[in-house]
Amino acid sequence: MMTSEELNAHIADGSINEVIRVAEAKQVKALSRIADEVCEQSRVRLVLVTGASAAGKTTTAKRICTQLLVNGRSAALHLSTDDYFVGDALNPRDENGELDYEHVECVDIRRLASDINALMRGEPVPRRRFDFVKHEPFYTDEYITLPEGGMIVLEGIHALNPRLTEGIDDEMKFRVFIEPLPQLDVFGGFVPTPADARFLRRMVRDNQFRKRNPADTVRLWPKVRAGEAKWIEPFSGNADATFNSYLVYELAALKFFAGGLLERCRLELGDHRLVMNMIALLKTVNPISPESIPGDSILRETIGGSQLEY
């Protein structure tokens, strides 16, 4: 555990780069161990990676693919359940008649299972994508295949829900649950919650990649949290392995982006409790430049500039 005062001291004296290197190396080591566990089970062909919103699922899945290749697997194919969203026209609605983006049936479950089974048989399938601006799925000209003995790494908020992979032998699955567990003491014994960490990531990511008004992210957050309690948390106990995606320096890294967004929220929403709490949280650390963050860091999924392909 590090305190915010210690983190600020590292930033001030220039030793923050070593803190960053060590934090990133710890995550690589943890993912290497998970890949080792996967490879110890000869029947596993499908690695399921899940976590709540902004937990870092995509980068983690890609890194697991890399570690599987390090372990000698012939191929590791990354798929995202986001690409199998049904789109607004078919999306379930909640009790108020509003689109429920947290529901498991947001995903085209039949098509996903069909594609996974086809890939495991060695058959090519068209690459499916989802347009988050138009809110509809589409197919590219690319066809994907899985060589014999290869593995599929599937990530998404419902990946551990048994409904998502019905019809696939459970012995072929390995389940990974991701959660950012902050390890930074910011107020003399107070440590931010995983939800605090994920909210800051989500607000920055939504603004960076989806051009969403940060106040809209705040408004949507209670619905996101309710969906997590219903659709994600009940299945976290099914995990074969867990991964802490938090980086001890990330609050300082996100301050560069989140500080201005939160001020915009305060102008629009007033003294909103969540906004004021996040502003107070960011005041405990000094910002660090985005240039200090490695190109393959999990934070690049939030702020952009990743050397990984998404």
Side-chain angles (χ1 to χ4, degrees), residues 4-305:
S4 56
E5 290 84 1
E6 291 170 335
L7 179 62
N8 287 333
H10 284 297
I11 295 171
D13 67 17
S15 60
I16 187 62
N17 288 331
E18 183 177 359
V19 172
I20 292 172
R21 285 194 298 271
V22 172
E24 296 288 346
K26 284 181 178 179
Q27 289 200 345
V28 172
K29 187 173 183 178
L31 292 172
S32 176
R33 288 172 175 166
I34 290 174
D36 289 345
E37 289 185 52
V38 171
C39 293
E40 286 169 1
Q41 302 183 38
S42 59
R43 292 204 61 195
V44 170
R45 298 283 309 283
L46 178 62
V47 181
L48 301 167
V49 179
T50 197
S53 175
K57 296 180 287 296
T58 303
T59 300
T60 301
K62 288 183 175 295
R63 284 177 148 188
I64 288 175
C65 285
T66 298
Q67 293 300 324
L68 290 172
L69 293 174
V70 169
N71 280 12
R73 288 289 178 170
S74 59
L77 177 64
H78 169 232
L79 295 179
S80 171
T81 60
D82 285 10
D83 288 328
Y84 286 83
F85 284 160
V86 295
D88 285 0
L90 299 174
N91 201 93
R93 293 182 179 270
D94 61 20
E95 62 276 8
N96 298 318
E98 298 177 354
L99 292 166
D100 183 357
Y101 292 121
E102 311 304 318
H103 199 288
V104 68
E105 291 180 8
C106 288
V107 181
D108 188 341
I109 296 173
R110 289 185 179 180
R111 184 55 190 258
L112 176 61
S114 174
D115 283 0
I116 290 174
N117 281 315
L119 287 166
M120 288 184 175
R121 292 192 299 267
E123 301 171 8
V125 300
R127 171 74 80 175
R128 176 165 165 151
R129 295 294 192 190
F130 190 80
D131 187 324
F132 280 96
V133 176
K134 297 181 179 179
H135 278 226
E136 59 185 33
F138 65 96
Y139 288 91
T140 71
D141 295 331
E142 178 188 4
Y143 276 74
I144 53 177
T145 58
L146 186 68
E148 184 176 356
M151 283 190 175
I152 297 172
V153 179
L154 175 68
E155 55 95 358
I157 64 172
H158 299 294
L160 265 58
N161 187 331
R163 286 182 61 187
L164 198 72
T165 52
E166 287 176 340
I168 300 173
D169 189 343
D170 278 350
E171 291 188 6
M172 300 176 73
K173 305 171 187 176
F174 188 94
R175 304 164 183 84
V176 181
F177 182 74
I178 310 169
E179 187 167 29
L181 302 171
Q183 299 171 325
L184 185 69
D185 181 339
V186 295
F187 291 127
F190 175 78
V191 177
T193 68
D196 292 336
R198 292 190 295 100
F199 171 77
L200 285 174
R201 287 181 180 182
R202 176 161 177 148
M203 183 180 65
V204 173
R205 181 203 67 189
D206 282 358
N207 185 258
Q208 289 286 99
F209 297 107
R210 300 178 185 177
K211 306 306 177 187
R212 179 173 288 165
N213 180 345
D216 289 339
T217 299
V218 174
R219 295 185 184 100
L220 187 62
W221 190 240
K223 184 175 289 188
V224 171
R225 296 284 288 134
E228 293 167 355
K230 182 177 181 179
W231 295 109
I232 300 174
E233 293 171 11
F235 305 107
S236 62
N238 297 339
D240 300 298
T242 58
F243 173 66
N244 181 5
S245 67
Y246 191 78
L247 291 158
V248 71
Y249 71 88
E250 74 173 70
L251 191 61
L254 292 178
K255 182 172 184 174
F256 184 91
F257 298 89
L261 297 178
L262 287 167
E263 289 301 327
R264 286 171 56 188
C265 289
R266 182 159 64 174
L267 288 174
E268 187 169 342
L269 302 175
D271 293 338
H272 188 286
R273 178 180 295 180
L274 176 59
V275 174
M276 299 309 294
N277 286 346
M278 293 300 100
I279 289 175
L281 189 59
L282 287 182
K283 284 182 178 179
T284 65
V285 296
N286 297 323
I288 59 176
S289 168
E291 295 177 0
S292 304
I293 303 170
D296 61 348
S297 172
I298 204 163
L299 285 183
R300 290 290 177 185
E301 184 176 331
T302 297
I303 66 174

